[in-house]
């Protein structure tokens, strides 16, 4: 399905930000300039910027226009339903360590369709609460074929456009279906240290698997949240 004009504009800006043309805090082209460049209405440009704002990539600066965000946001694992945006449930985070290749835990290996000795690319982040304290420790595991086709996944710095958009741009593959499984267990020692809880401590673990349009696994994320900050609320019709 061909992209609509505002989607093309958003994707062009996303690529320019990813390539370093516009850095954090820098002002992006005005609505008037983009409208002239793309031969579209200002309303179309506004829709393009709304897409990027919902992705947590840009923010509005009163009286100036749009700027690249200084602090990217990330979400805990799971709840990536169609129509949800990156800023929905998103929060500041910090990277833990450097991306590396390792043999994932059995649950993750099974979710990715890997053999017991197969490696995957591991990226770890700590999603924070408003006061800067830990909320969720998220470890994302990417199959090697995805990691090789999207080499920036192996770099330490954040991917401002988000891994989903980056992987799609590099591979043409995108999430079409997701599965979330929530279980409860005791925190491992390193998890307890990063989440700043004393052992023994209960944690909720969300295992999120994203599948592409051909039902091939794209990524498996394991999100570990201490029990004192874990809350899950569902609203649904009855009767």
């Amino acid at each position: 399905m061909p992209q609509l004009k505002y989607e093309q504009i958003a994707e062009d800006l996303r690529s320019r930000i990813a390539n370093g043309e516009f850095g954090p805090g820098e002002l992006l082209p005005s609505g008037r300039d983009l409208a002239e460049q793309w031969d579209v209405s200002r309303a179309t440009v506004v829709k393009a910027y709304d897409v990027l704002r919902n992705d947590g990539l840009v923010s509005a600066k009163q009286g100036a226009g749009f700027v690249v965000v200084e602090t990217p946001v990330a979400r805990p694992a799971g709840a990536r339903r169609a129509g949800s945006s990156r800023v929905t449930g998103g929060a500041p985070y910090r990277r833990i360590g450097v991306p590396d290749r390792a043999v994932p835990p059995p649950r993750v290996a099974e979710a990715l369709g890997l053999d017991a000795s197969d490696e995957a690319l591991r990226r770890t982040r700590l999603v924070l609460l408003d006061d800067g304290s830990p909320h969720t420790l998220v470890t994302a595991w990417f199959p090697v074929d995805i990691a090789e086709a999207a080499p920036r996944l192996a770099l330490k710095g954040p991917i401002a456009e988000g891994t989903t958009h980056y992987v799609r741009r590099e591979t043409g593959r995108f999430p079409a279906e997701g599965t979330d499984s929530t279980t409860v267990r005791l925190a491992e020692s390193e998890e307890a240290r990063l989440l700043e809880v004393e052992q023994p401590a209960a944690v909720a673990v969300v295992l999120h698997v994203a599948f592409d349009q051909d039902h091939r696994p794209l990524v498996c994320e394991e999100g570990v949240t201490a029990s004192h900050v874990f809350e899950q609320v569902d609203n649904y019709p009855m009767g």
Side-chain angles (χ1 to χ4, degrees):
M1 182 177 177
Q3 286 185 316
L4 299 175
K5 208 69 173 181
Y6 77 89
E7 294 173 323
Q8 294 177 35
I9 297 169
E11 187 60 29
D12 179 70
L13 289 170
R14 187 180 284 116
S15 298
R16 294 166 72 182
I17 293 169
N19 291 331
E21 184 176 343
F22 304 103
E26 290 189 9
L27 191 64
L28 291 160
S30 69
R32 178 184 298 176
D33 288 345
L34 286 174
E36 291 178 357
Q37 176 187 340
W38 288 84
D39 191 25
V40 295
S41 68
R42 292 282 293 278
T44 298
V45 174
V46 169
K47 288 182 70 175
Y49 271 126
D50 281 343
V51 169
L52 299 181
R53 183 158 50 178
N54 287 335
D55 280 346
L57 192 55
V58 307
S59 61
K61 187 173 183 179
Q62 189 171 4
F66 287 91
V67 297
V68 181
V69 296
E70 298 274 2
T71 305
V73 297
R75 289 184 281 181
R80 306 297 174 86
R81 292 175 176 81
S84 67
S85 69
R86 193 173 167 198
V87 296
T88 302
Y93 69 98
R94 70 173 188 263
R95 283 272 159 222
I96 303 296
V98 177
D100 62 355
R101 291 193 182 189
V103 175
R107 287 182 70 205
V108 174
E110 181 181 359
L112 292 176
L114 303 179
D115 291 335
S117 60
D118 288 346
E119 292 186 335
L121 178 70
R122 173 173 57 186
R123 289 171 61 91
T124 305
R125 65 184 184 269
L126 186 64
V127 182
L128 306 173
L129 294 167
D130 291 340
D131 63 3
S133 61
H135 180 267
T136 302
L137 179 65
V138 182
T139 304
W141 297 88
F142 294 87
V144 169
D145 61 330
I146 294 290
E148 291 178 344
R152 284 177 54 209
L153 291 173
L155 302 181
K156 182 178 181 180
I159 298 175
E161 63 186 304
T163 56
T164 299
H165 288 296
Y166 171 61
V167 168
R168 181 171 187 164
R169 211 157 39 82
E170 296 297 319
T171 69
R173 297 169 62 182
F174 56 89
E177 181 183 350
T179 300
D180 295 347
S181 174
T182 303
T183 55
V184 177
R185 60 170 170 78
L186 293 178
E188 298 174 0
S189 57
E190 181 65 6
E191 293 168 344
R193 185 184 71 83
L194 291 170
L195 293 172
E196 299 178 6
V197 294
E198 293 186 4
Q199 290 183 281
V203 290
V205 182
V206 175
L207 193 75
H208 164 76
V209 189
F211 299 93
D212 70 7
Q213 60 272 36
D214 296 318
H215 202 68
R216 296 173 295 175
L218 280 172
V219 64
C220 178
E221 289 189 340
E222 186 176 52
V224 181
T225 307
S227 59
H228 71 281
V229 295
F230 178 79
E231 181 180 32
Q232 181 172 314
V233 178
D234 291 327
N235 294 306
Y236 49 87
M238 297 181 65

